[in-house]
mmCIF file with all atom_site columns, all heavy atoms in Angstrom:
data_model
loop_
_atom_site.group_PDB
_atom_site.id
_atom_site.type_symbol
_atom_site.label_atom_id
_atom_site.label_alt_id
_atom_site.label_comp_id
_atom_site.label_asym_id
_atom_site.label_entity_id
_atom_site.label_seq_id
_atom_site.pdbx_PDB_ins_code
_atom_site.Cartn_x
_atom_site.Cartn_y
_atom_site.Cartn_z
_atom_site.occupancy
_atom_site.B_iso_or_equiv
_atom_site.pdbx_formal_charge
_atom_site.auth_seq_id
_atom_site.auth_comp_id
_atom_site.auth_asym_id
_atom_site.auth_atom_id
_atom_site.pdbx_PDB_model_num
ATOM 1  N N   . LEU B 1 198 ? 22.690 6.109  36.996 1.00 97.00 ? 1440 LEU B N   1
ATOM 2  C CA  . LEU B 1 198 ? 23.470 7.207  37.413 1.00 97.00 ? 1440 LEU B CA  1
ATOM 3  C C   . LEU B 1 198 ? 24.305 6.884  38.623 1.00 97.00 ? 1440 LEU B C   1
ATOM 4  O O   . LEU B 1 198 ? 25.463 7.346  38.794 1.00 97.00 ? 1440 LEU B O   1
ATOM 5  C CB  . LEU B 1 198 ? 22.560 8.417  37.754 1.00 97.00 ? 1440 LEU B CB  1
ATOM 6  C CG  . LEU B 1 198 ? 22.011 9.098  36.552 1.00 97.00 ? 1440 LEU B CG  1
ATOM 7  C CD1 . LEU B 1 198 ? 20.888 10.087 36.901 1.00 97.00 ? 1440 LEU B CD1 1
ATOM 8  C CD2 . LEU B 1 198 ? 23.139 9.882  35.774 1.00 97.00 ? 1440 LEU B CD2 1
ATOM 9  N N   . ALA B 1 199 ? 23.790 6.024  39.505 1.00 97.00 ? 1441 ALA B N   1
ATOM 10 C CA  . ALA B 1 199 ? 24.545 5.632  40.708 1.00 97.00 ? 1441 ALA B CA  1
ATOM 11 C C   . ALA B 1 199 ? 25.816 4.898  40.255 1.00 97.00 ? 1441 ALA B C   1
ATOM 12 O O   . ALA B 1 199 ? 26.933 5.089  40.775 1.00 97.00 ? 1441 ALA B O   1
ATOM 13 C CB  . ALA B 1 199 ? 23.673 4.785  41.617 1.00 97.00 ? 1441 ALA B CB  1
ATOM 14 N N   . VAL B 1 200 ? 25.673 3.962  39.262 1.00 97.00 ? 1442 VAL B N   1
ATOM 15 C CA  . VAL B 1 200 ? 26.836 3.225  38.822 1.00 97.00 ? 1442 VAL B CA  1
ATOM 16 C C   . VAL B 1 200 ? 27.858 4.211  38.225 1.00 97.00 ? 1442 VAL B C   1
ATOM 17 O O   . VAL B 1 200 ? 29.039 4.155  38.461 1.00 97.00 ? 1442 VAL B O   1
ATOM 18 C CB  . VAL B 1 200 ? 26.417 2.183  37.733 1.00 97.00 ? 1442 VAL B CB  1
ATOM 19 C CG1 . VAL B 1 200 ? 27.655 1.558  37.136 1.00 97.00 ? 1442 VAL B CG1 1
ATOM 20 C CG2 . VAL B 1 200 ? 25.573 1.109  38.380 1.00 97.00 ? 1442 VAL B CG2 1
ATOM 21 N N   . LEU B 1 201 ? 27.356 5.144  37.428 1.00 97.00 ? 1443 LEU B N   1
ATOM 22 C CA  . LEU B 1 201 ? 28.257 6.123  36.768 1.00 97.00 ? 1443 LEU B CA  1
ATOM 23 C C   . LEU B 1 201 ? 28.947 6.967  37.832 1.00 97.00 ? 1443 LEU B C   1
ATOM 24 O O   . LEU B 1 201 ? 30.111 7.331  37.721 1.00 97.00 ? 1443 LEU B O   1
ATOM 25 C CB  . LEU B 1 201 ? 27.457 7.024  35.823 1.00 97.00 ? 1443 LEU B CB  1
ATOM 26 C CG  . LEU B 1 201 ? 27.108 6.431  34.459 1.00 97.00 ? 1443 LEU B CG  1
ATOM 27 C CD1 . LEU B 1 201 ? 26.190 7.336  33.711 1.00 97.00 ? 1443 LEU B CD1 1
ATOM 28 C CD2 . LEU B 1 201 ? 28.409 6.203  33.670 1.00 97.00 ? 1443 LEU B CD2 1
ATOM 29 N N   . SER B 1 202 ? 28.169 7.301  38.859 1.00 96.00 ? 1444 SER B N   1
ATOM 30 C CA  . SER B 1 202 ? 28.705 8.147  39.933 1.00 96.00 ? 1444 SER B CA  1
ATOM 31 C C   . SER B 1 202 ? 29.912 7.483  40.569 1.00 96.00 ? 1444 SER B C   1
ATOM 32 O O   . SER B 1 202 ? 30.961 8.096  40.831 1.00 96.00 ? 1444 SER B O   1
ATOM 33 C CB  . SER B 1 202 ? 27.631 8.354  41.014 1.00 96.00 ? 1444 SER B CB  1
ATOM 34 O OG  . SER B 1 202 ? 28.127 9.087  42.099 1.00 96.00 ? 1444 SER B OG  1
ATOM 35 N N   . TYR B 1 203 ? 29.867 6.151  40.693 1.00 96.00 ? 1445 TYR B N   1
ATOM 36 C CA  . TYR B 1 203 ? 30.938 5.404  41.247 1.00 96.00 ? 1445 TYR B CA  1
ATOM 37 C C   . TYR B 1 203 ? 32.105 5.406  40.268 1.00 96.00 ? 1445 TYR B C   1
ATOM 38 O O   . TYR B 1 203 ? 33.249 5.702  40.561 1.00 96.00 ? 1445 TYR B O   1
ATOM 39 C CB  . TYR B 1 203 ? 30.541 3.955  41.527 1.00 96.00 ? 1445 TYR B CB  1
ATOM 40 C CG  . TYR B 1 203 ? 31.654 3.037  41.940 1.00 96.00 ? 1445 TYR B CG  1
ATOM 41 C CD1 . TYR B 1 203 ? 32.072 2.891  43.243 1.00 96.00 ? 1445 TYR B CD1 1
ATOM 42 C CD2 . TYR B 1 203 ? 32.440 2.370  40.951 1.00 96.00 ? 1445 TYR B CD2 1
ATOM 43 C CE1 . TYR B 1 203 ? 33.130 2.074  43.608 1.00 96.00 ? 1445 TYR B CE1 1
ATOM 44 C CE2 . TYR B 1 203 ? 33.504 1.547  41.326 1.00 96.00 ? 1445 TYR B CE2 1
ATOM 45 C CZ  . TYR B 1 203 ? 33.844 1.410  42.641 1.00 96.00 ? 1445 TYR B CZ  1
ATOM 46 O OH  . TYR B 1 203 ? 34.886 0.628  42.958 1.00 96.00 ? 1445 TYR B OH  1
ATOM 47 N N   . GLN B 1 204 ? 31.745 5.016  39.012 1.00 95.00 ? 1446 GLN B N   1
ATOM 48 C CA  . GLN B 1 204 ? 32.788 4.859  38.002 1.00 95.00 ? 1446 GLN B CA  1
ATOM 49 C C   . GLN B 1 204 ? 33.517 6.150  37.696 1.00 95.00 ? 1446 GLN B C   1
ATOM 50 O O   . GLN B 1 204 ? 34.686 6.165  37.369 1.00 95.00 ? 1446 GLN B O   1
ATOM 51 C CB  . GLN B 1 204 ? 32.194 4.292  36.727 1.00 95.00 ? 1446 GLN B CB  1
ATOM 52 C CG  . GLN B 1 204 ? 31.657 2.874  36.893 1.00 95.00 ? 1446 GLN B CG  1
ATOM 53 C CD  . GLN B 1 204 ? 31.077 2.372  35.613 1.00 95.00 ? 1446 GLN B CD  1
ATOM 54 O OE1 . GLN B 1 204 ? 30.423 3.118  34.868 1.00 95.00 ? 1446 GLN B OE1 1
ATOM 55 N NE2 . GLN B 1 204 ? 31.281 1.068  35.324 1.00 95.00 ? 1446 GLN B NE2 1
ATOM 56 N N   . ALA B 1 205 ? 32.769 7.237  37.702 1.00 91.00 ? 1447 ALA B N   1
ATOM 57 C CA  . ALA B 1 205 ? 33.301 8.559  37.294 1.00 91.00 ? 1447 ALA B CA  1
ATOM 58 C C   . ALA B 1 205 ? 34.343 9.053  38.282 1.00 91.00 ? 1447 ALA B C   1
ATOM 59 O O   . ALA B 1 205 ? 35.119 9.954  37.992 1.00 91.00 ? 1447 ALA B O   1
ATOM 60 C CB  . ALA B 1 205 ? 32.188 9.559  37.089 1.00 91.00 ? 1447 ALA B CB  1
ATOM 61 N N   . VAL B 1 206 ? 34.391 8.465  39.448 1.00 81.00 ? 1448 VAL B N   1
ATOM 62 C CA  . VAL B 1 206 ? 35.432 8.856  40.401 1.00 81.00 ? 1448 VAL B CA  1
ATOM 63 C C   . VAL B 1 206 ? 36.421 7.752  40.576 1.00 81.00 ? 1448 VAL B C   1
ATOM 64 O O   . VAL B 1 206 ? 37.676 7.956  40.638 1.00 81.00 ? 1448 VAL B O   1
ATOM 65 C CB  . VAL B 1 206 ? 34.834 9.306  41.757 1.00 81.00 ? 1448 VAL B CB  1
ATOM 66 C CG1 . VAL B 1 206 ? 35.924 9.759  42.699 1.00 81.00 ? 1448 VAL B CG1 1
ATOM 67 C CG2 . VAL B 1 206 ? 33.797 10.388 41.542 1.00 81.00 ? 1448 VAL B CG2 1
ATOM 68 N N   . GLU B 1 207 ? 35.877 6.505  40.690 1.00 71.00 ? 1449 GLU B N   1
ATOM 69 C CA  . GLU B 1 207 ? 36.757 5.325  40.724 1.00 71.00 ? 1449 GLU B CA  1
ATOM 70 C C   . GLU B 1 207 ? 37.918 5.484  41.781 1.00 71.00 ? 1449 GLU B C   1
ATOM 71 O O   . GLU B 1 207 ? 39.055 5.584  41.454 1.00 71.00 ? 1449 GLU B O   1
ATOM 72 C CB  . GLU B 1 207 ? 37.361 5.108  39.313 1.00 71.00 ? 1449 GLU B CB  1
ATOM 73 C CG  . GLU B 1 207 ? 37.949 3.744  39.163 1.00 71.00 ? 1449 GLU B CG  1
ATOM 74 C CD  . GLU B 1 207 ? 36.897 2.770  38.625 1.00 71.00 ? 1449 GLU B CD  1
ATOM 75 O OE1 . GLU B 1 207 ? 36.110 3.148  37.704 1.00 71.00 ? 1449 GLU B OE1 1
ATOM 76 O OE2 . GLU B 1 207 ? 36.793 1.658  39.141 1.00 71.00 ? 1449 GLU B OE2 1
ATOM 77 N N   . GLU B 1 208 ? 37.473 5.480  42.940 1.00 35.00 ? 1450 GLU B N   1
ATOM 78 C CA  . GLU B 1 208 ? 38.470 5.653  44.044 1.00 35.00 ? 1450 GLU B CA  1
ATOM 79 C C   . GLU B 1 208 ? 37.810 5.203  45.294 1.00 35.00 ? 1450 GLU B C   1
ATOM 80 O O   . GLU B 1 208 ? 36.616 5.392  45.474 1.00 35.00 ? 1450 GLU B O   1
ATOM 81 C CB  . GLU B 1 208 ? 38.835 7.112  44.156 1.00 35.00 ? 1450 GLU B CB  1
ATOM 82 C CG  . GLU B 1 208 ? 40.238 7.438  44.688 1.00 35.00 ? 1450 GLU B CG  1
ATOM 83 C CD  . GLU B 1 208 ? 40.497 8.880  44.687 1.00 35.00 ? 1450 GLU B CD  1
ATOM 84 O OE1 . GLU B 1 208 ? 40.302 9.515  43.614 1.00 35.00 ? 1450 GLU B OE1 1
ATOM 85 O OE2 . GLU B 1 208 ? 40.788 9.446  45.737 1.00 35.00 ? 1450 GLU B OE2 1
#
Side-chain angles (χ1 to χ4, degrees):
Chain B
L1440 285 168
V1442 172
L1443 282 170
S1444 175
Y1445 173 91
Q1446 294 180 321
V1448 182
E1449 196 88 44
E1450 207 177 306

